[in-house]
Structure formats: structure tokens, C-alpha cells
Amino acid sequence: MQCTPKIAVYPGTFDPLTLGHLDIIERACGLCDRLIIAVAPNRNKAPLFSLEERLSIVHENVATLSGLTTDIEILPLEGLLVDFAHKHGADFVVRGLRAVSDFEYEFQMAGMNARLTPAIETVFLIASDRCQFISSSLIKEITELGGDVSQFVSLAVRERLRRKTSK
Ligand code: COA
């Protein structure tokens, strides 16, 4: 019997992508045959990096992951997440959970998405110990104030942050 390949979508604003996101990407790869990383415009969050920059950041960081057999695709997230997931034939959505504080927002979002499209499940991965406190907003704040973010983001992201905040 032939199994149909499992497809997952990992959505986020990724402003910027952190080691926490990379941890989720690597682990999500163990759950599916194809992972679509969907980068949201999320203009209401007023991102520091443009959508094009965030897509390029995700591309360059994912390229550094080794030993993955999963097919990874990186796309802009257009429209509703559930419509995007449906259009790409996804079986489930992956989200990372850090602390109890994430739970309420994620619970609400997963609930709304389940009402909109019951066929698409949301699977939560608990952030690894070393990534529990990482937050994109705090990383931007620390960089702007001259702090060291090397333990939270890749070297490439740190360099992009430095260039962006020195403008
Ligand atoms: N490790 C470390 N940090 C993590 C993490 C992990 N495993 N998982 C999330 N984060 C952090 C990020 O750094 C970020 O921090 P910040 O709040 O300080 O910026 C925060 O968690 C969330 O960012 P991100 O993971 O990029 O996702 P998001 O919450 O911005 O993404 C979408 C939200 C894209 C999923 C949502 O807006 C969406 O679905 N949009 C499409 C439109 C839609 O369908 N809307 C209806 C939804 S019901």
C-alpha cells in the first residue's frame, strides 16, 4: 500500500527568524514529508524586515540545516492561513509553543482555524529548553540598544540586524 505524503505548513512573521524557529523547523521535518514555511506579511505587526527580506532570511538559514530528508518550500503567506494550507494540500499546521503566555493566543488561533476549516489540524511543538525565552521583538530591542543576540539568532541574522539597526 502506498502512503500519501504528509504535508505541513509552518506559518510565522519571522521578523526575524530565530534559533527557536529553526528548532521548530528541524523538528517539524520529522513529522512530514514536505514542509511549507509560510512567511506572513503581517503589516499590523509593522515588521522591521520587509517580506522579501524575511523570505530571503528564511532561505539562507534553512540552507544551513543539514541531514534533513524532508522537502522544504518557503513561500509568502497570502490570505487566510487555512485557505493557504488547503490550497497547498496541507494536512496540518505547525506552531511552536514557548510559555503559558503563548497558549492563550495559540489556543484562540487554532480554535478559529479549526472552525474555518476542520480538516486542517494544528500541531504544537513545545520549544526546546534553550529556546523557551527567545522572542523576535526582544531580539530587535536588544540589537537596537547595542546588546549581543548571538545566542538567539544565526550569524547571518545577527549581521542583517546590525546593518538594519545601524541605518
Ligand atoms: N522559539 C522562539 N521564539 C518563538 C518560537 C519558538 N519556538 N515560536 C514563536 N516564537 C516567537 C517569535 O519570535 C515571535 O516573537 P514576538 O512576538 O516577540 O515577535 C512570536 O513568537 C510569534 O512570531 P511568529 O512565530 O513569527 O508567528 P506570528 O505569531 O507572528 O504568526 C500567523 C502569526 C502568521 C500564524 C498569523 O498571523 C496568521 O495565521 N496569519 C494569516 C492570516 C490569518 O489566517 N488570520 C486568521 C488567524 S485565526
Side-chain angles (χ1 to χ4, degrees), residues 103-114:
F103 183 77
E104 203 170 311
Y105 169 62
E106 296 294 341
F107 179 78
Q108 202 167 25
M109 206 159 54
M112 297 280 269
N113 285 334

Side-chain angles (χ1 to χ4, degrees), residues 69-99:
T69 51
T70 303
D71 190 16
I72 300 181
E73 202 173 351
I74 300 151
L75 296 174
L77 171 49
E78 283 147 6
L80 278 178
L81 173 61
V82 284
D83 291 343
F84 178 92
H86 182 69
K87 181 174 149 200
H88 291 276
D91 301 285
F92 61 96
V93 166
V94 176
R95 291 286 290 165
L97 265 188
R98 290 164 300 173

Side-chain angles (χ1 to χ4, degrees), residues 10 12 14-26 131 136:
Y10 178 36
F14 307 119
D15 185 45
L17 182 95
T18 69
L19 296 184
H21 293 124
L22 280 173
D23 166 57
I24 299 294
I25 291 168
E26 277 191 293
C131 303
S136 296

Side-chain angles (χ1 to χ4, degrees), residues 4 13 25 29 46 55 66 75 83 87 94 101 108 122 130 148 152 157 163:
T4 48
T13 309
I25 291 168
C29 282
L55 283 162
S66 55
L75 296 174
D83 291 343
K87 181 174 149 200
V94 176
S101 52
Q108 202 167 25
T122 302
R130 64 192 158 82
D148 176 14
F152 311 124
V157 170
R163 289 207 301 266

Side-chain angles (χ1 to χ4, degrees), residues 2 128 137 155:
Q2 210 178 1
S128 302
S137 324
L155 197 65

